[in-house]
């Protein structure tokens, strides 16, 4: 069954949005198969966002993620990668649709509260980066 990596970023954790975000995935019918709070090192954050290393905001983004804690999760279900991104909404919360997590709960791109894998390959890589096989149910 299809799986994706979802993380509530430090701003989402600090703002007390964990239960709000988890309940949106649960209510849709997706299944939570792994979950843990992590304070990633900066080099771990750089690995997670390696695709963005040429972007001007890369350093700030990795610093921010490494402040932690981050709630790392794996969710399972039919179409969960694509649909999870729909639940999350557009990268820039000022352009995310109302009804999406970022659209309803965030305002600026640098503090957009949640991450979701953007395709099958990144989902596989990110799940393997954040979780050991025995942490997955
Ligand atoms: P994520 O990978 O976190 O789920 P995304 O796939 O919607 O987000 P990406 O293009 O992968 O968007 O960007 C990764 C993250 O980098 C964004 O979620 C955001 O936190 C940050 N980011 C993207 N663009 C900018 C920007 N212009 N300024 C500051 N931060 C940015
Ligand atoms: Mg991305």
């Amino acid at each position: 069954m299809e799986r994706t990596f979802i993380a509530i970023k430090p701003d989402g954790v600090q703002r007390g949005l964990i239960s709000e975000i988890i309940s949106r995935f649960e209510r849709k019918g997706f299944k939570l198969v792994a979950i843990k709070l992590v304070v990633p090192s900066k080099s771990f954050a750089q690995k997670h966002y390696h695709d963005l290393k040429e972007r001007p905001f890369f350093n700030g983004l990795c610093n921010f993620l490494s402040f932690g804690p981050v709630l790392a999760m794996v969710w399972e279900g039919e179409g969960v990668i694509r649909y999870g991104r729909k639940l999350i909404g557009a990268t820039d919360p000022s352009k995310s649709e109302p009804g999406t997590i970022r659209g309803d709960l965030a305002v600026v791109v640098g503090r957009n509260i949640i991450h979701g894998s953007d395709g099958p390959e990144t989902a596989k890589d990110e799940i393997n980066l954040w979780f050991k096989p025995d942490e997955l149910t």
Side-chain angles (χ1 to χ4, degrees):
M1 178 63 80
E2 186 175 316
R3 290 181 167 188
T4 194
F5 175 70
I6 300 291
I8 303 180
K9 299 179 186 181
D11 51 337
V13 174
Q14 280 158 24
R15 288 179 53 205
L17 297 173
I18 288 175
S19 61
E20 165 78 37
I21 291 171
I22 287 180
S23 74
R24 292 187 183 213
F25 279 82
E26 281 186 325
R27 273 153 50 204
K28 173 65 183 171
F30 294 134
K31 182 181 165 195
L32 183 61
V33 295
I35 184 166
K36 63 180 175 185
L37 266 183
V38 186
V39 182
S41 64
K42 180 149 182 206
S43 68
F44 189 94
Q46 288 166 335
K47 262 187 220 159
H48 171 75
Y49 277 128
H50 68 275
D51 284 354
L52 300 172
K53 63 176 180 289
E54 308 301 336
R55 308 296 290 276
F57 55 82
F58 178 69
N59 192 49
L61 176 63
C62 294
N63 277 335
F64 179 65
L65 202 72
S66 72
F67 293 156
V70 171
L71 191 74
M73 297 178 280
V74 179
W75 285 87
E76 183 179 278
E78 189 79 37
V80 71
I81 300 172
R82 246 180 94 84
Y83 205 91
R85 298 272 297 182
K86 274 189 154 178
L87 287 177
I88 290 170
T91 305
D92 182 347
S94 71
K95 302 190 179 80
S96 314
E97 293 297 322
T100 65
I101 291 168
R102 288 171 177 159
D104 289 347
L105 304 170
V107 182
V108 292
V109 69
R111 296 290 183 272
N112 63 2
I113 65 174
I114 183 168
H115 162 82
S117 305
D118 60 11
E121 281 306 309
T122 46
K124 193 158 72 78
D125 291 349
E126 290 170 0
I127 290 168
N128 291 334
L129 176 66
W130 288 80
F131 289 94
K132 301 189 189 87
D134 67 4
E135 292 175 320
L136 300 164
T137 55

